[in-house]
Amino acid sequence: MKLTIKNWTGVATWRWVANDDNCGICRMPFDGCCPDCKLPGDDCPLVWGQCSHCFHMHCIVKWLQSQPVNQQCPMCRQGWKFNNK
Amino acid sequence: MSLKPRRVDFNQTWGAIRDTIKGVITLDHVPRPIWNDRFSDVYSLCVAHPEPMADRLYAETKQYLIDHVSKLLVQVQEEGEQSLIKSYYHYWSQYSVGSQYLHSLYLYLNQQHIRTQKMSDAEIIYGSSDSSGGEQMEIGELALEVWQSGMIAPLGQRLVKLLLEAIGEDRTQKTCSIPIDAVRGTILSFVEVQGYKKKGQLQLYQELFEEPFLKESGEHFKRDAAKLLQEKNVSLYMERVKAKIEEELLRARRFLHASSLSKVSQRCETHMVAEHLEFLYSECTAMVQGERKKDLSNMYDLLKSVQNAMVLLIDTVLDHIKTQGLAAIGNIDTENIHITFVENMLGVYKKYKLLIQEVFKSDQNFMGALDRACSSVINHKFGKPVCKSPEFLAKYCDALLRKSSKGISDSEVDEKLAESITIFKYIDDKDVFQKFYSRMLAKRLIHQQTQSMDAEEAMINRLKQACGYEFTSKLHRMFTDMSVSADLNNKFNAFLKQDNIDLGINFSIYVLQAGAWPLGQTVTTPFTYPRQLEKSVQMFENFYHNRFNGRKLTWLHNLCQAELKLGHLKKSYLVTMQTFQMATLLLFEHTDSLTFREIKESLQLTSEQYHRYAASLIDCKLLIADSTELKPETILRLNMEYNNKRTKFRINAAVQKESPQEIEQTMNSVEEDRKMYLQAAIVRIMKSRKILKHNALIQEVYAQSKVSFAPSIQLIKKCIESLIDKQYIERTPHSSEEYSYVA
């Protein structure tokens, strides 16, 4: 072996991949954060429902808390279930 | 004896009293029993039966005092004009003490008879009708009043003339033919004689003596100044004037009442400084340019008390600092321009700060001038389209925080960074600095070139202090990412261990938030991983996607780096390099020569950017090319004769250097950010104000953005236009100079 890699330090960036650009509740871009947060990133995560719709976690939690019965996805009106795959 | 009121023979008793007060007022010997008897005589007259005789006693006493003072007046004059002051003072000292004793002798009269008639304090303060209408005074006061009317009134003018002559003599000959005591005592007698009054105690002194004195002194100062001016030497003049003021104050302290001190020095300043400002200013520029500390300090002391006289000096100092500053940073043409810039500028700043502390006693006005001068120097563009200072300063910080800065101790680095904040505060385009700084910080972090995390954090905290949380939030997020990545690496390694996977290499990774890092719009280039890396990358991507749902990873190959062991040479070397460089070298594993085209094809890299990497490998002689210019047909081969003293080194430095394109890119992104910032500010303001005039809006926007940069009016106007286009705001129908918010 003439040449061997001893160490390798990779650098990568991550961004959300959602099926939409904006959060359906607050209409802010997913690259940004929900209106209550100051900084995007790990502190303001996205969540997916089983219906495959995606929101800022803070937004959907707030929505669900305001719905005493029939907790539904605000986009498709199916019952909301977190997709924890 | 009995205290009971009884019938008294006034004439007989008064006779006795008169004899005694003659002794008292001339400070003759009065035996104790006689004093006691007279004391009770005063009492018995005051309470005499059937009619108290207090009023009569008062009238007789007054008459007696008047006669006595007029006798003294004759005596004072007897000894001639020459010794007028001396004898006046002699009799005054006697009389003033004697009258105090007399006051005690008449204690009963004073307290029981007169004080009851007197006006209360309140009546005096609130100005009850008439205060002098033949009212009776306490005996001590009466005596002083009699002295004033019987002695000072006829003699005053003559005394004052003599006093002024005496002081004049003291000024010119430094000696005084009349004893200082007498002069001072005479002057102060004008105050003491009115000492009993509740207000206007100084009136007589001021009118009789002080006014002519100040006038006379003024004349004297004028003459003196004229004399000094003939020498036409400003620094000598200032020195003399300072000494003169000192001297006059000392003289005033020796002769005059304390209330006159400030008036004397003021008079002196008016005639010797304020009236000759032109003359003083004539050499101001030369003094400042020569930095003649002593002269400047004299000048400051003299001008300080003259209103508005300092402005010209301040302006001159400001201009001088500015010139010096521009000279210090204007024509730097060295390799390390950023270091020279910061250090020269700090040199200028420190030098003049010290000068101001020393010479101008840290006067706020001069500190302000220093600030203005520094900020205009630092933000000077030297004919270029943008000011380079923010960039230089950021580079300077980078040089300090980088690992390569050798031979400087941690505390020194810390100190230098703290000083650089001084310059930072003067920079107008703080946002430009922030852009450069964050780019450099990103590179330091990713390439593991930070000298110490503590120093980094201390610096960021300093910036935060100077500019607020918003300014450094992105920098903080970069730090967070570093620690999150360290955590992620641990978890990944644990996962590998658990599943017994061997990647064949030491693998570590930084996963960064896309928005927080100033990495530009890195075009994700197609790139085929070398075979040795494929597994690692694949494993990590799987690991990451399992762990974090809904996230997409983008590799930034131009930032990845590798440590490669070279086994084909006589010695084995450990070389740190960039991934593209590594990939290129790895192609030579099974062959010794390849054409440039072949390399590009196997790595699937686009030509322009790859050019740089390949060239860098040839530059550091690890590869040999058969033509100086890289063409597709150029054949590259491994340099089997490679030799380096060090066995461990890095070759990616050249690639990491800021290219001109990057700098331009930075400037462009600053421009974009500013537009966004201004638009946000305009919308915020309009949302709260609803309707606002054009100028008021511009002002508010300017005030809000001043923290991080100084926007041009033109840029603000452009932003307003674009917001109108986007229908956030509109012009009000009746005026084109007014905007309203569109909800």
Side-chain angles (χ1 to χ4, degrees):
Chain A
M1 288 275 269
K2 289 196 278 190
L3 302 153
T4 355
I5 305 177
K6 292 287 286 183
N7 297 308
W8 190 70
T9 310
V11 180
T13 57
W14 66 268
R15 57 173 72 245
W16 301 106
V17 260
N19 34 17
D20 205 349
D21 285 342
N22 298 329
C23 168
I25 297 174
C26 68
R27 308 302 300 160
M28 298 303 262
F30 284 129
D31 277 344
C33 53
C34 79
D36 295 334
C37 287
K38 280 228 147 104
L39 296 175
D42 293 310
D43 293 337
C44 186
L46 306 191
V47 286
W48 281 261
Q50 280 179 2
C51 57
S52 88
H53 285 119
C54 167
F55 306 98
H56 287 122
M57 182 184 80
H58 298 147
C59 293
I60 189 69
V61 167
K62 218 196 248 174
W63 162 259
L64 294 175
Q65 277 166 356
S66 69
Q67 304 288 306
V69 283
N70 293 339
Q71 300 211 319
Q72 295 166 335
C73 168
M75 302 292 270
C76 59
R77 297 283 158 199
Q78 292 179 49
W80 177 267
K81 292 230 171 57
F82 283 105
N83 186 356
N84 294 322
K85 80 169 173 183
Chain B
M1 88 173 235
S2 139
L3 292 176
K4 235 168 104 185
R6 58 194 163 94
R7 193 174 291 274
V8 190
D9 177 3
F10 181 82
N11 285 335
Q12 191 194 347
T13 320
W14 167 243
I17 295 179
R18 196 179 51 199
D19 287 345
T20 311
I21 55 178
K22 191 177 173 200
V24 170
I25 203 85
T26 51
L27 300 182
D28 225 5
H29 177 70
V30 178
R32 170 68 56 178
I34 296 197
W35 173 276
N36 287 348
D37 285 352
R38 292 301 87 78
F39 193 84
S40 28
D41 282 347
V42 170
Y43 169 76
S44 48
L45 281 178
C46 287
V47 296
H49 185 76
E51 278 295 312
M53 285 179 269
D55 287 341
R56 220 174 133 193
L57 172 64
Y58 180 82
E60 287 290 349
T61 310
K62 185 171 176 183
Q63 192 50 51
Y64 175 78
L65 284 171
I66 291 173
D67 291 346
H68 177 67
V69 168
S70 60
K71 252 186 273 165
L72 289 180
L73 179 63
V74 177
Q75 282 172 5
V76 166
Q77 284 167 305
E78 238 167 37
E79 293 180 44
E81 207 70 4
Q82 279 307 310
S83 47
L84 190 67
I85 290 180
K86 224 159 102 184
S87 49
Y88 170 87
Y89 177 61
H90 171 70
Y91 288 115
W92 161 248
S93 354
Q94 191 187 59
Y95 181 84
S96 61
V97 178
S99 64
Q100 274 168 32
Y101 289 129
L102 194 63
H103 186 75
S104 319
L105 188 67
Y106 278 73
L107 192 67
Y108 186 81
L109 181 80
N110 288 338
Q111 290 195 335
Q112 298 304 315
H113 185 68
I114 294 169
R115 202 161 283 175
T116 45
Q117 311 175 0
K118 265 194 139 180
M119 288 191 295
S120 70
D121 285 354
E123 279 172 314
I124 291 171
I125 290 166
Y126 297 113
S128 167
S129 54
D130 63 330
S131 54
S132 57
E135 185 191 311
Q136 292 183 346
M137 305 159 95
E138 288 179 31
I139 296 301
E141 300 173 358
L142 178 72
L144 293 175
E145 150 76 29
V146 168
W147 180 270
Q148 188 188 330
S149 56
M151 185 66 92
I152 296 180
L155 271 188
Q157 296 301 332
R158 279 161 68 195
L159 277 173
V160 167
K161 191 164 156 278
L162 289 170
L163 288 170
L164 292 181
E165 275 167 19
I167 294 178
E169 199 184 335
D170 184 65
R171 267 188 190 132
T172 47
Q173 296 162 19
K174 308 282 170 210
T175 53
C176 197
S177 57
I178 306 168
I180 291 175
D181 278 358
V183 177
R184 178 181 167 80
T186 307
I187 293 172
L188 289 185
S189 77
F190 300 150
V191 182
E192 283 160 21
V193 83
Q194 299 224 311
Y196 64 88
K197 286 197 178 174
K198 290 225 163 58
K199 54 180 182 183
Q201 288 178 343
L202 293 173
Q203 201 187 351
L204 177 72
Y205 166 74
Q206 281 167 347
E207 281 170 5
L208 185 65
F209 175 76
E210 193 182 58
E211 230 167 88
F213 168 75
L214 287 177
K215 213 169 134 218
E216 167 96 7
S217 305
E219 292 300 321
H220 169 73
F221 296 145
K222 268 189 210 167
R223 279 196 306 273
D224 228 32
K227 212 163 69 194
L228 289 175
L229 280 175
Q230 280 170 355
E231 303 198 23
K232 297 210 181 307
N233 182 335
V234 177
S235 59
L236 196 69
Y237 178 79
M238 290 195 302
E239 211 137 295
R240 292 273 172 75
V241 171
K242 254 186 93 174
K244 182 79 192 164
I245 294 177
E246 277 300 303
E247 185 192 317
E248 279 301 321
L249 275 177
L250 200 70
R251 180 165 294 125
R253 222 169 265 137
R254 263 195 304 159
F255 289 123
L256 309 182
H257 188 250
S259 66
S260 300
L261 292 184
S262 61
K263 289 180 197 166
V264 170
S265 65
Q266 200 191 352
R267 201 43 89 98
C268 199
E269 275 149 9
T270 320
H271 291 304
M272 305 196 82
V273 181
E275 285 175 5
H276 302 293
L277 283 179
E278 285 305 313
F279 173 64
L280 290 176
Y281 288 158
S282 68
E283 233 181 281
C284 185
T285 320
M287 262 178 228
V288 172
Q289 279 172 1
E291 288 167 25
R292 283 144 58 181
K293 287 188 185 173
K294 189 140 183 288
D295 288 346
L296 286 175
S297 149
N298 284 344
M299 173 93 90
Y300 173 75
D301 286 338
L302 292 183
L303 294 183
K304 188 171 50 179
S305 38
V306 182
Q307 210 183 2
N308 293 331
M310 202 81 94
V311 180
L312 194 102
L313 181 59
I314 294 174
D315 287 350
T316 317
V317 170
L318 190 145
D319 283 345
H320 177 63
I321 300 179
K322 217 156 116 178
T323 325
Q324 293 293 308
L326 289 177
I329 64 166
N331 289 313
I332 309 171
D333 204 14
T334 50
E335 196 180 341
N336 290 323
I337 183 165
H338 51 280
I339 295 177
T340 326
F341 164 79
V342 174
E343 282 174 359
N344 285 4
M345 195 59 224
L346 273 176
V348 170
Y349 171 79
K350 279 196 234 165
K351 178 176 165 195
Y352 289 102
K353 191 171 176 196
L354 198 71
L355 185 88
I356 289 172
Q357 279 170 349
E358 235 175 88
V359 175
F360 304 123
K361 308 193 170 64
S362 300
D363 190 300
Q364 275 310 304
N365 292 313
F366 285 93
M367 284 304 195
L370 175 66
D371 284 346
R372 268 178 289 151
C374 286
S375 102
S376 88
V377 169
I378 290 176
N379 293 305
H380 198 270
K381 288 181 180 168
F382 295 103
K384 298 197 182 86
V386 287
C387 175
K388 301 284 266 178
S389 306
E391 186 189 330
F392 291 153
L393 185 63
K395 275 190 185 163
Y396 179 76
C397 298
D398 184 55
L400 285 174
L401 289 164
R402 227 171 230 283
K403 247 181 196 162
S404 56
S405 62
K406 286 170 207 131
I408 308 179
S409 70
D410 280 2
S411 60
E412 253 177 282
V413 168
D414 199 57
E415 198 179 308
K416 286 189 174 195
L417 288 173
E419 282 177 352
S420 65
I421 289 289
T422 315
I423 295 195
F424 172 72
K425 282 182 183 155
Y426 289 121
I427 286 181
D428 276 344
D429 298 333
K430 294 197 173 61
D431 54 343
V432 178
F433 171 83
Q434 191 230 30
K435 274 271 147 53
F436 278 106
Y437 187 87
S438 61
R439 286 180 76 98
M440 290 168 190
L441 172 65
K443 286 196 176 172
R444 281 201 301 276
L445 289 176
I446 291 174
H447 297 307
Q448 296 153 31
Q449 283 185 318
T450 16
Q451 177 83 346
S452 107
M453 276 313 217
D454 289 347
E456 292 279 3
E457 260 177 83
M459 186 61 192
I460 288 178
N461 282 333
R462 286 197 195 100
L463 293 175
K464 189 154 99 180
Q465 259 176 11
C467 252
Y469 168 76
E470 202 93 352
F471 190 78
T472 53
S473 67
K474 274 195 180 178
L475 307 181
H476 278 298
R477 281 165 73 192
M478 285 157 66
F479 274 96
T480 321
D481 272 356
M482 294 315 278
S483 55
V484 168
S485 294
D487 192 41
L488 198 64
N489 276 318
N490 288 339
K491 284 186 179 142
F492 182 54
N493 284 332
F495 159 80
L496 291 177
K497 213 168 185 180
Q498 195 189 349
D499 288 12
N500 262 329
I501 304 171
D502 182 20
L503 297 176
I505 58 168
N506 271 328
F507 178 91
S508 64
I509 187 163
Y510 293 118
V511 181
L512 316 172
Q513 271 178 63
W517 292 71
L519 301 170
Q521 303 86 0
T522 30
V523 214
T524 46
T525 41
F527 168 64
T528 333
Y529 287 99
R531 191 179 34 77
Q532 295 92 321
L533 266 181
E534 261 170 29
K535 189 173 170 196
S536 311
V537 171
Q538 197 61 47
M539 286 309 296
F540 184 76
E541 278 184 356
N542 288 344
F543 166 78
Y544 193 79
H545 287 138
N546 275 333
R547 194 161 273 268
F548 300 99
N549 196 9
R551 297 189 182 191
K552 182 167 164 264
L553 273 184
T554 312
W555 294 92
L556 302 176
H557 300 298
N558 54 335
L559 293 174
C560 306
Q561 62 178 3
E563 203 175 21
L564 204 60
K565 192 175 170 194
L566 307 185
H568 62 287
L569 301 166
K570 281 183 208 125
K571 283 193 274 182
S572 78
Y573 293 96
L574 267 180
V575 189
T576 308
M577 62 184 74
Q578 196 269 335
T579 300
F580 293 146
Q581 294 171 322
M582 172 198 74
T584 313
L585 285 182
L586 285 175
L587 293 178
F588 291 92
E589 177 73 40
H590 301 296
T591 166
D592 283 345
S593 67
L594 287 165
T595 64
F596 190 49
R597 192 207 314 268
E598 282 172 324
I599 296 175
K600 277 201 319 195
E601 273 165 10
S602 50
L603 295 178
Q604 295 182 357
L605 283 164
T606 46
S607 67
E608 291 126 67
Q609 47 159 226
Y610 179 63
H611 218 93
R612 263 169 78 197
Y613 297 107
S616 72
L617 283 173
I618 296 164
D619 282 348
C620 71
K621 303 200 173 76
L622 281 172
L623 288 182
I624 298 173
D626 66 349
S627 70
T628 43
E629 206 182 323
L630 272 180
K631 286 184 219 124
E633 306 78 38
T634 308
I635 296 172
L636 297 170
R637 55 181 89 243
L638 273 180
N639 181 2
M640 303 307 278
E641 306 297 318
Y642 185 81
N643 191 14
N644 193 330
K645 264 186 267 169
R646 299 167 60 182
T647 53
K648 200 175 173 195
F649 56 98
R650 58 168 64 226
I651 58 168
N652 53 2
V655 187
Q656 277 170 27
K657 263 218 175 124
E658 287 258 307
S659 60
Q661 291 96 321
E662 272 184 305
I663 291 175
E664 196 179 319
Q665 203 184 334
T666 308
M667 293 312 291
N668 287 343
S669 75
V670 167
E671 194 66 12
E672 279 310 304
D673 283 3
R674 283 187 180 182
K675 276 186 201 153
M676 296 309 286
Y677 186 97
L678 288 177
Q679 291 188 6
I682 294 169
V683 171
R684 261 199 314 273
I685 293 164
M686 290 309 295
K687 193 169 179 177
S688 66
R689 297 302 188 84
K690 302 300 178 214
I691 289 176
L692 205 59
K693 286 258 190 293
H694 176 76
N695 285 339
L697 177 61
I698 299 250
Q699 253 171 24
E700 284 213 32
V701 172
Y702 196 85
Q704 282 199 12
S705 54
K706 215 168 52 187
V707 196
S708 59
F709 64 101
S712 67
I713 304 297
Q714 216 170 358
L715 189 63
I716 303 180
K717 276 186 187 158
K718 238 188 236 170
C719 291
I720 294 177
E721 287 298 326
S722 79
L723 284 174
I724 291 175
D725 288 345
K726 289 185 201 161
Q727 296 187 331
Y728 278 92
I729 56 178
E730 63 185 8
R731 290 198 167 82
T732 49
H734 46 274
S735 162
S736 62
E737 285 291 281
E738 201 174 52
Y739 307 106
S740 69
Y741 180 69
V742 181

